[in-house]
Structures are given as structure tokens and as C-alpha cells.
mmCIF file of all heavy atoms in Angstrom:
data_model
loop_
_atom_site.group_PDB
_atom_site.id
_atom_site.type_symbol
_atom_site.label_atom_id
_atom_site.label_comp_id
_atom_site.label_asym_id
_atom_site.label_seq_id
_atom_site.Cartn_x
_atom_site.Cartn_y
_atom_site.Cartn_z
ATOM 1 N N PRO L 9 0.837 -1.204 0.000
ATOM 2 C CA PRO L 9 0.000 0.000 0.000
ATOM 3 C C PRO L 9 0.875 1.259 0.000
ATOM 4 O O PRO L 9 1.899 1.307 0.691
ATOM 5 C CB PRO L 9 -0.792 -0.116 1.309
ATOM 6 C CG PRO L 9 -0.730 -1.552 1.668
ATOM 7 C CD PRO L 9 0.573 -2.064 1.181
ATOM 8 N N SER L 10 0.474 2.270 -0.733
ATOM 9 C CA SER L 10 1.302 3.469 -0.873
ATOM 10 C C SER L 10 1.387 4.282 0.413
ATOM 11 O O SER L 10 2.307 5.093 0.583
ATOM 12 C CB SER L 10 0.771 4.347 -2.011
ATOM 13 O OG SER L 10 -0.567 4.736 -1.765
ATOM 14 N N ASN L 11 0.428 4.079 1.338
ATOM 15 C CA ASN L 11 0.447 4.794 2.614
ATOM 16 C C ASN L 11 0.762 3.880 3.794
ATOM 17 O O ASN L 11 0.429 4.194 4.946
ATOM 18 C CB ASN L 11 -0.901 5.494 2.839
ATOM 19 C CG ASN L 11 -1.144 6.602 1.831
ATOM 20 O OD1 ASN L 11 -0.316 7.482 1.658
ATOM 21 N ND2 ASN L 11 -2.267 6.530 1.137
ATOM 22 N N LEU L 12 1.430 2.783 3.530
ATOM 23 C CA LEU L 12 1.779 1.830 4.570
ATOM 24 C C LEU L 12 2.658 2.486 5.636
ATOM 25 O O LEU L 12 3.575 3.238 5.323
ATOM 26 C CB LEU L 12 2.525 0.645 3.951
ATOM 27 C CG LEU L 12 2.820 -0.533 4.870
ATOM 28 C CD1 LEU L 12 1.533 -1.268 5.213
ATOM 29 C CD2 LEU L 12 3.823 -1.482 4.210
ATOM 30 N N GLU L 13 2.374 2.167 6.913
ATOM 31 C CA GLU L 13 3.141 2.762 8.010
ATOM 32 C C GLU L 13 4.057 1.763 8.714
ATOM 33 O O GLU L 13 5.036 2.171 9.345
ATOM 34 C CB GLU L 13 2.182 3.389 9.023
ATOM 35 C CG GLU L 13 1.414 4.579 8.462
ATOM 36 C CD GLU L 13 0.519 5.235 9.493
ATOM 37 O OE1 GLU L 13 0.471 4.743 10.644
ATOM 38 O OE2 GLU L 13 -0.146 6.233 9.151
ATOM 39 N N GLY L 14 3.745 0.472 8.640
ATOM 40 C CA GLY L 14 4.572 -0.475 9.375
ATOM 41 C C GLY L 14 4.605 -1.870 8.783
ATOM 42 O O GLY L 14 3.660 -2.307 8.110
ATOM 43 N N ILE L 15 5.734 -2.559 9.040
ATOM 44 C CA ILE L 15 5.888 -3.967 8.686
ATOM 45 C C ILE L 15 6.261 -4.689 9.973
ATOM 46 O O ILE L 15 7.324 -4.435 10.546
ATOM 47 C CB ILE L 15 6.956 -4.176 7.598
ATOM 48 C CG1 ILE L 15 6.580 -3.397 6.330
ATOM 49 C CG2 ILE L 15 7.108 -5.663 7.275
ATOM 50 C CD1 ILE L 15 7.621 -3.466 5.233
ATOM 51 N N CYS L 16 5.388 -5.567 10.441
ATOM 52 C CA CYS L 16 5.543 -6.167 11.765
ATOM 53 C C CYS L 16 6.504 -7.355 11.773
ATOM 54 O O CYS L 16 6.945 -7.839 10.728
ATOM 55 C CB CYS L 16 4.172 -6.589 12.299
ATOM 56 S SG CYS L 16 3.050 -5.198 12.547
ATOM 57 N N ASP L 17 6.801 -7.822 12.946
ATOM 58 C CA ASP L 17 7.779 -8.886 13.169
ATOM 59 C C ASP L 17 7.450 -10.129 12.348
ATOM 60 O O ASP L 17 6.351 -10.656 12.402
ATOM 61 C CB ASP L 17 7.793 -9.249 14.658
ATOM 62 C CG ASP L 17 8.828 -10.325 14.979
ATOM 63 O OD1 ASP L 17 9.875 -10.335 14.319
ATOM 64 O OD2 ASP L 17 8.569 -11.135 15.880
ATOM 65 N N GLY L 18 8.430 -10.570 11.574
ATOM 66 C CA GLY L 18 8.290 -11.802 10.808
ATOM 67 C C GLY L 18 7.373 -11.726 9.609
ATOM 68 O O GLY L 18 7.082 -12.756 8.988
ATOM 69 N N ALA L 19 6.917 -10.539 9.252
ATOM 70 C CA ALA L 19 5.915 -10.395 8.191
ATOM 71 C C ALA L 19 6.312 -11.102 6.896
ATOM 72 O O ALA L 19 5.493 -11.773 6.257
ATOM 73 C CB ALA L 19 5.649 -8.921 7.915
ATOM 74 N N PHE L 20 7.586 -10.958 6.514
ATOM 75 C CA PHE L 20 8.077 -11.598 5.290
ATOM 76 C C PHE L 20 9.251 -12.539 5.586
ATOM 77 O O PHE L 20 10.080 -12.799 4.714
ATOM 78 C CB PHE L 20 8.507 -10.543 4.272
ATOM 79 C CG PHE L 20 7.372 -9.697 3.756
ATOM 80 C CD1 PHE L 20 7.140 -8.429 4.271
ATOM 81 C CD2 PHE L 20 6.535 -10.165 2.764
ATOM 82 C CE1 PHE L 20 6.096 -7.648 3.801
ATOM 83 C CE2 PHE L 20 5.488 -9.401 2.285
ATOM 84 C CZ PHE L 20 5.267 -8.133 2.806
ATOM 85 N N SER L 21 9.333 -13.051 6.782
ATOM 86 C CA SER L 21 10.466 -13.911 7.129
ATOM 87 C C SER L 21 10.435 -15.225 6.350
ATOM 88 O O SER L 21 9.370 -15.756 6.050
ATOM 89 C CB SER L 21 10.483 -14.188 8.638
ATOM 90 O OG SER L 21 9.285 -14.804 9.046
ATOM 91 N N PHE L 22 11.608 -15.704 6.000
ATOM 92 C CA PHE L 22 11.785 -16.954 5.258
ATOM 93 C C PHE L 22 11.105 -16.929 3.880
ATOM 94 O O PHE L 22 10.679 -17.973 3.379
ATOM 95 C CB PHE L 22 11.295 -18.147 6.077
ATOM 96 C CG PHE L 22 12.066 -18.363 7.349
ATOM 97 C CD1 PHE L 22 11.632 -17.787 8.536
ATOM 98 C CD2 PHE L 22 13.233 -19.107 7.365
ATOM 99 C CE1 PHE L 22 12.341 -17.962 9.725
ATOM 100 C CE2 PHE L 22 13.953 -19.285 8.549
ATOM 101 C CZ PHE L 22 13.511 -18.709 9.722
ATOM 102 N N CYS L 23 11.021 -15.733 3.299
ATOM 103 C CA CYS L 23 10.559 -15.615 1.909
ATOM 104 C C CYS L 23 11.794 -15.714 1.024
ATOM 105 O O CYS L 23 12.404 -14.702 0.648
ATOM 106 C CB CYS L 23 9.810 -14.295 1.701
ATOM 107 S SG CYS L 23 8.209 -14.227 2.534
ATOM 108 N N ASP L 24 12.175 -16.933 0.682
ATOM 109 C CA ASP L 24 13.456 -17.200 0.036
ATOM 110 C C ASP L 24 13.627 -16.533 -1.319
ATOM 111 O O ASP L 24 14.749 -16.236 -1.739
ATOM 112 C CB ASP L 24 13.638 -18.719 -0.145
ATOM 113 C CG ASP L 24 13.682 -19.464 1.167
ATOM 114 O OD1 ASP L 24 13.748 -18.808 2.224
ATOM 115 O OD2 ASP L 24 13.640 -20.709 1.148
ATOM 116 N N SER L 25 12.514 -16.323 -2.048
ATOM 117 C CA SER L 25 12.600 -15.815 -3.417
ATOM 118 C C SER L 25 12.453 -14.299 -3.524
ATOM 119 O O SER L 25 12.603 -13.732 -4.616
ATOM 120 C CB SER L 25 11.526 -16.486 -4.287
ATOM 121 O OG SER L 25 11.690 -17.881 -4.307
ATOM 122 N N LEU L 26 12.176 -13.639 -2.406
ATOM 123 C CA LEU L 26 11.961 -12.192 -2.423
ATOM 124 C C LEU L 26 13.295 -11.476 -2.633
ATOM 125 O O LEU L 26 14.196 -11.564 -1.806
ATOM 126 C CB LEU L 26 11.328 -11.746 -1.115
ATOM 127 C CG LEU L 26 10.813 -10.308 -1.033
ATOM 128 C CD1 LEU L 26 9.698 -10.083 -2.052
ATOM 129 C CD2 LEU L 26 10.313 -9.996 0.371
ATOM 130 N N GLU L 27 13.418 -10.775 -3.769
ATOM 131 C CA GLU L 27 14.679 -10.126 -4.131
ATOM 132 C C GLU L 27 14.677 -8.631 -3.860
ATOM 133 O O GLU L 27 15.721 -8.054 -3.547
ATOM 134 C CB GLU L 27 14.993 -10.377 -5.608
ATOM 135 C CG GLU L 27 15.235 -11.849 -5.940
ATOM 136 C CD GLU L 27 15.537 -12.068 -7.399
ATOM 137 O OE1 GLU L 27 15.495 -11.082 -8.167
ATOM 138 O OE2 GLU L 27 15.807 -13.219 -7.786
ATOM 139 N N SER L 28 13.531 -8.000 -4.013
ATOM 140 C CA SER L 28 13.451 -6.554 -3.792
ATOM 141 C C SER L 28 12.040 -6.175 -3.376
ATOM 142 O O SER L 28 11.081 -6.908 -3.609
ATOM 143 C CB SER L 28 13.843 -5.787 -5.060
ATOM 144 O OG SER L 28 12.927 -6.041 -6.109
ATOM 145 N N LEU L 29 11.943 -5.010 -2.750
ATOM 146 C CA LEU L 29 10.655 -4.532 -2.259
ATOM 147 C C LEU L 29 10.657 -3.017 -2.311
ATOM 148 O O LEU L 29 11.592 -2.371 -1.827
ATOM 149 C CB LEU L 29 10.434 -5.020 -0.823
ATOM 150 C CG LEU L 29 9.013 -5.020 -0.274
ATOM 151 C CD1 LEU L 29 8.127 -5.998 -1.052
ATOM 152 C CD2 LEU L 29 9.019 -5.410 1.199
ATOM 153 N N ASN L 30 9.617 -2.450 -2.911
ATOM 154 C CA ASN L 30 9.491 -0.993 -2.958
ATOM 155 C C ASN L 30 8.788 -0.508 -1.696
ATOM 156 O O ASN L 30 7.586 -0.706 -1.519
ATOM 157 C CB ASN L 30 8.705 -0.569 -4.198
ATOM 158 C CG ASN L 30 9.483 -0.796 -5.474
ATOM 159 O OD1 ASN L 30 10.694 -0.619 -5.506
ATOM 160 N ND2 ASN L 30 8.800 -1.212 -6.531
ATOM 161 N N ILE L 31 9.570 0.102 -0.819
ATOM 162 C CA ILE L 31 9.038 0.596 0.455
ATOM 163 C C ILE L 31 8.486 2.011 0.260
ATOM 164 O O ILE L 31 9.201 2.899 -0.202
ATOM 165 C CB ILE L 31 10.134 0.619 1.534
ATOM 166 C CG1 ILE L 31 10.703 -0.785 1.759
ATOM 167 C CG2 ILE L 31 9.588 1.195 2.832
ATOM 168 C CD1 ILE L 31 9.732 -1.766 2.336
ATOM 169 N N PRO L 32 7.221 2.256 0.619
ATOM 170 C CA PRO L 32 6.655 3.606 0.450
ATOM 171 C C PRO L 32 7.274 4.618 1.420
ATOM 172 O O PRO L 32 7.751 4.260 2.493
ATOM 173 C CB PRO L 32 5.171 3.402 0.741
ATOM 174 C CG PRO L 32 5.111 2.167 1.568
ATOM 175 C CD PRO L 32 6.237 1.292 1.137
ATOM 176 N N MET L 33 7.255 5.878 1.030
ATOM 177 C CA MET L 33 7.824 6.952 1.845
ATOM 178 C C MET L 33 7.083 7.127 3.163
ATOM 179 O O MET L 33 7.632 7.677 4.121
ATOM 180 C CB MET L 33 7.787 8.269 1.057
ATOM 181 C CG MET L 33 8.641 8.272 -0.194
ATOM 182 S SD MET L 33 10.404 8.119 0.170
ATOM 183 C CE MET L 33 10.709 9.682 0.987
ATOM 184 N N SER L 34 5.862 6.652 3.222
ATOM 185 C CA SER L 34 5.049 6.800 4.434
ATOM 186 C C SER L 34 5.473 5.869 5.561
ATOM 187 O O SER L 34 5.047 6.049 6.711
ATOM 188 C CB SER L 34 3.580 6.531 4.092
ATOM 189 O OG SER L 34 3.436 5.215 3.548
ATOM 190 N N LEU L 35 6.333 4.876 5.282
ATOM 191 C CA LEU L 35 6.677 3.857 6.273
ATOM 192 C C LEU L 35 7.360 4.467 7.493
ATOM 193 O O LEU L 35 8.310 5.225 7.370
ATOM 194 C CB LEU L 35 7.579 2.792 5.644
ATOM 195 C CG LEU L 35 7.694 1.496 6.447
ATOM 196 C CD1 LEU L 35 6.411 0.686 6.338
ATOM 197 C CD2 LEU L 35 8.880 0.671 5.972
ATOM 198 N N LYS L 36 6.882 4.098 8.688
ATOM 199 C CA LYS L 36 7.416 4.629 9.938
ATOM 200 C C LYS L 36 8.266 3.618 10.703
ATOM 201 O O LYS L 36 9.145 4.005 11.462
ATOM 202 C CB LYS L 36 6.267 5.106 10.825
ATOM 203 C CG LYS L 36 5.473 6.269 10.231
ATOM 204 C CD LYS L 36 4.323 6.671 11.153
ATOM 205 C CE LYS L 36 3.533 7.834 10.570
ATOM 206 N NZ LYS L 36 2.386 8.222 11.441
#
């Protein structure tokens, strides 16, 4: 989401194939 504020503990843990992620400027 373009207005995302947080990514919590383990949210994407052990995602072996994840190479990149576009983090929105709103993230706190």
C-alpha cells in the first residue's frame, strides 16, 4: 500500500525468493 506505516515482526520472514521490495515513503 502506498500509505503503509509499518511492517511487523516476521511479516516476510523466510521468503526465500523475495529479491526486492518498494518501500513507500510513508513507512514509519
